[in-house]
Amino acid sequence: MRHMSFLEAYLNTINNVEVKQTVSETAAKFLQEVLSSFNFQSRINGLLLGEVQSGKTGQMFGIVAQAADEGFDVFVILTTDNNRLQTQTFERASLGLMSGMEVCNETDTRRFNLNRRLTTRKPVVIVLKKNSKILKKWRNELLNSEYLKDKNVMIIDDEADAASLNTRINQDDISVINEHISAIRTAGASCIYLQVTATPQAVLLQTEESDYKPSFVIYFKPGSAYLGGDFFFSRPEPYCIIETSDDEMASVIDPDSEDDARLKQAVLNFLVVCAHFKLSGIESTLKQQNCS
């Protein structure tokens, strides 16, 4: 009886057909362009590029699952230094990747150590904030145990243009967070460092000598329900953007003013859009994209 792959198990947690399709396509593209030629002895950098709020987290997890199918042992997912975002990412990883994988929160060193001592250990996913104390703790945990020395490691750095790059390069020094990430990157037998962002300027404009400059770029298109910059800042201007005068707020909050036509129009527009989303099923699509 054939066992379900990690990617199949993850895709089965996605209810929306379109989201499932885009995640599958991104994972297949990553397999074809990166994993199929990876020699499991090198350390390479790449960029996963998507639009703002277009469901990058779901694509990240699809790549994690695909890489686990190809023999990667350890995954470190980095979020910005925000407790809420780190918790949200951990919870999504726990729900989406729990089948056959050990998902560890930043406080789960005991769970990590129990898993690494098992004979039939699972691939491990560790979700961490880009916080100097947190990264130092896990750097020490991973390096002192020598757990990574024969492991294939993938680091997925969400919002990679924030805090990860060496911010002290002009002072001929190394920033603390960059130093911790570099130590983990170089500790394994091999490593793919995947930088994820919708604003890639800082990542792409690094010098050729930078250890963090991506050697490949994977771009994924947003779903059909996505409304981004191309819509809101298009020419001709979209109907949903209405310019108001600079002093409109003063007239709205003035109890003696009857000039509230713009406010009424904005509220009505909002209600009409909500009703349209509800009736057309777009509401559930957007929720699925945000959760994935």
Side-chain angles (χ1 to χ4, degrees), residues 76-90 104-107 126-139 155-159 162-164 176-178 180-181 184:
V76 179
I77 299 178
L78 303 176
T79 75
T80 55
D81 190 9
N82 180 290
N83 289 331
R84 201 168 184 178
L85 180 59
Q86 187 276 335
T87 299
Q88 182 184 63
T89 304
F90 168 71
C104 296
N105 204 347
E106 56 189 21
T107 58
I126 309 167
V127 183
L128 307 175
K129 292 193 300 287
K130 283 182 276 189
N131 173 283
S132 58
K133 291 183 179 179
I134 295 296
L135 289 177
K136 181 179 180 180
K137 180 181 77 171
W138 277 95
R139 168 189 174 172
I155 300 175
I156 299 186
D157 189 346
D158 195 12
E159 306 298 347
S164 304
V176 175
I177 289 176
N178 181 263
H180 291 324
I181 295 174
I184 297 172

Side-chain angles (χ1 to χ4, degrees), residues 38-83:
F38 188 67
N39 61 12
F40 290 92
Q41 296 176 344
S42 304
R43 293 176 178 84
I44 63 173
N45 307 320
L47 172 64
L48 177 64
L49 180 61
E51 305 294 338
V52 175
Q53 293 296 309
S54 62
K56 292 189 295 296
T57 304
Q59 310 297 327
M60 286 163 39
F61 293 163
I63 287 174
V64 167
Q66 182 71 82
D69 285 329
E70 296 302 310
F72 276 78
D73 311 287
V74 180
F75 301 88
V76 179
I77 299 178
L78 303 176
T79 75
T80 55
D81 190 9
N82 180 290
N83 289 331

Side-chain angles (χ1 to χ4, degrees), residues 86 90 102-118 124-128 133-145 147 184:
Q86 187 276 335
F90 168 71
E102 192 70 59
V103 181
C104 296
N105 204 347
E106 56 189 21
T107 58
D108 288 338
T109 52
R110 184 171 180 272
R111 176 184 293 180
F112 166 76
N113 284 313
L114 287 173
N115 179 68
R116 75 180 179 87
R117 293 190 182 104
L118 295 175
V124 63
V125 179
I126 309 167
V127 183
L128 307 175
K133 291 183 179 179
I134 295 296
L135 289 177
K136 181 179 180 180
K137 180 181 77 171
W138 277 95
R139 168 189 174 172
N140 293 339
E141 186 71 40
L142 293 168
L143 272 61
N144 291 343
S145 66
Y147 177 68
I184 297 172

